[in-house]
Amino acid sequence: MKPQKGLFIVLILALFAWPLEQSFFPYFIKLIIDALTGLDSLKTPLNEIPIFKDLGGILLLGVAFFITTEIIYRSSDFLRAYLLPPFMARIRTYLINYVGQQSFTYFSNNFPGAIANKINDLPRAAHELFEKIFTSFIPGILNGLIAIALLLTLSPLLSVIMLIWVISHLWISWVASKKASLYAKDQSEALSTLSGKIVDVLNNIFTVRLFNGFQHEKKYLWKYQTDAVQKHTKTLIFSAQLKTVLGVLSLLEYGFMISVSLYGWKMGWLSLGDVAFILTILQNIMQSTWWVSYEFPHLFEQVGISLQAYDLLTQKITIEDKKHAPPLVITGGEIVFDNVTFHHTSNSSELPVLFNNLSIILKGGEKVGVVGFSGSGKTTFVNLILRQFDPQQGRILIDGQDIKTISLESLWNSISVIPQDTNLFHRTLYENIHYGNLKAHRDQVIIAAEKAYVSELVSRLPQGYETIVGDRGGNLSGGERQRIAIARSILKDAPLLILDEATSALDSETERKIQDSLLTAMKGRTSLVIAHRLSTLYHMDRILVFQQGRIVESGTHQELLLRNGHYKYLFSLQNNGFLQEIQGVEL
Ligand SMILES: Nc1ncnc2c1ncn2[C@@H]1O[C@H](COP(=O)(O)OP(=O)(O)O)[C@@H](O)[C@H]1O
Ligand SMILES: [Mg+2]
């Protein structure tokens, strides 16, 4: 027998162990009382008491039975302790793997915190459901059925009455719990809105203090408090009403069962032992029925949580590898946009078209600059090359291979990107740079760090490379984070290089220092450089000027200036600011 099968059998046996124990216990009481009935306890010698004479075997069997059920029951506890945590981890891992493949759009439409909550919710709810079903529902219901069957052997009438009561109790609770779960949902939504508001106040606590807004905030939060209180009260009152109805029904049931069994004894259909049996089993069925019905609201709640998590987590993955997608093979590094039409989508509504039939060729090894106002589509252009989005029409080719047909892993391996916004892991500075190439040795990491002038920052930190950078790199300035991102990309050393306003947060002096490293990095590889300061563009072979998703001009810096168009306009705007310092040097 496979061990898995063995474990499974123990779990199934455990389902029966408790109900059998619960239902047979009253039966043993009956046997004992019947055996003792009519005996004078003081005068009867021990070996004449029938319980020892005739029932010895049954009693022994009983003891063996109780010990066995106990052992099975406890082993199932241990089994659950070993099985459930890895099971939950497996669900979590599956979810993390699945969500990890989701597109950029998915992550911009869903808060990471909400996704993480759901990744935790689903295994927890699965655990709860498993526990409830295997330790409450099935045993509770089995217990009721076995007990009613035993009762049937004594009095079919009582057994039918009991069954009717159990069914009506469960039915009323089930229907009411469905309604209660709606109230509970309202209540938990009110609570989560409230807690969102509290977080918002805490996030802005600096502003609240500076503007003496605390009284205002208290009043503002009170509205949400009141709402939560009302909904909570409503939930509790509904539950109290339900329990009142069920309580009255139970009292009637008790009264009826007790009266009938006493009457039966009086009339001689029932022995004293029978009466004891009926009364104990009555109590037992009552308890387990109440117990099962108490779990209904939790059951609905957990199912609700699971369904919500399931919905978010199983959203279709929109950008994924074709089956057996071959890797990208870089020969010269040519990037081609072939009649690309693209618009963003936000929460499944379509935004206006950004690129309309855009065609452009970036030659292998060419250094291409991109300029344009913010919002003109520069970052989206990069994201299309990285296949963070798929164009609605047209193709993007790298060295003749449609990027939709090659594996995403090989695509991302071939491109170093320094993104516009750098988020860092809440890990050490070293780990953050090392991420560029996890196979790199320490020396290589440090050389990359030096090229990006991170070493200068490191020397100022007491813990050097081992400094934790803080949540999302929050302990560092924007420029420092950017230098780490640059170091990381230099370390990656991929055949294609994309800089998206890579030096925008640096001061001019640091920028000039890093410029050399970046120019070296660009040598011999196709480079796409989105410039925040036009100073970066002097070294480009060609500059593309973006305006609302269109490439309105292209040429070298000098050519574009002569053309007197949009570039000249952008340049004149910057002339008053960033570019002045460069002008003296370069022009
Ligand atoms: N993920 C997104 N979802 C919806 N709209 C977006 C998204 N990213 C960018 N946009 C919109 O697309 C346009 C171009 O943005 P972007 O490519 O970031 O411009 P740039 O980098 O030139 O500043 C802007 O109007 C922006 O609001
Ligand atoms: Mg941008």
Side-chain angles (χ1 to χ4, degrees), residues 348-364:
S348 68
S349 65
E350 295 184 0
L351 298 172
V353 171
L354 183 61
F355 298 125
N356 198 0
N357 282 319
L358 177 72
S359 291
I360 180 96
I361 299 176
L362 314 183
K363 285 181 282 198

Side-chain angles (χ1 to χ4, degrees), residues 137 169-185 235 238-239 242 246 290 292-301:
F137 281 118
H169 183 104
L170 290 182
W171 182 72
I172 295 173
S173 318
W174 180 266
V175 173
S177 300
K178 259 194 201 166
K179 197 164 172 198
S181 73
L182 297 180
Y183 286 138
K185 204 171 146 208
T235 314
F238 182 76
S239 149
L242 170 66
L246 293 176
W290 272 91
V292 169
S293 70
Y294 264 133
E295 298 292 356
F296 287 159
H298 301 294
L299 184 77
F300 283 113
E301 191 188 344

Side-chain angles (χ1 to χ4, degrees), residues 104-105 108-109 342 344-346 351-352 354-355 372-383 389 420 500-501 530 546:
F104 199 56
T105 314
S108 40
N109 290 342
F342 175 78
H344 282 289
T345 35
S346 170
L351 298 172
L354 183 61
F355 298 125
F373 280 131
S374 130
S376 58
K378 305 179 300 288
T379 299
T380 307
F381 186 72
V382 167
N383 283 334
F389 310 111
Q420 191 165 8
D500 189 354
E501 308 196 357
I530 300 177
F546 274 52

Side-chain angles (χ1 to χ4, degrees), residues 102-122:
Q102 286 289 9
S103 68
F104 199 56
T105 314
Y106 176 91
F107 288 104
S108 40
N109 290 342
N110 297 295
F111 290 112
I115 301 174
N117 276 345
K118 305 223 150 142
I119 290 179
N120 279 326
D121 279 352
L122 196 56

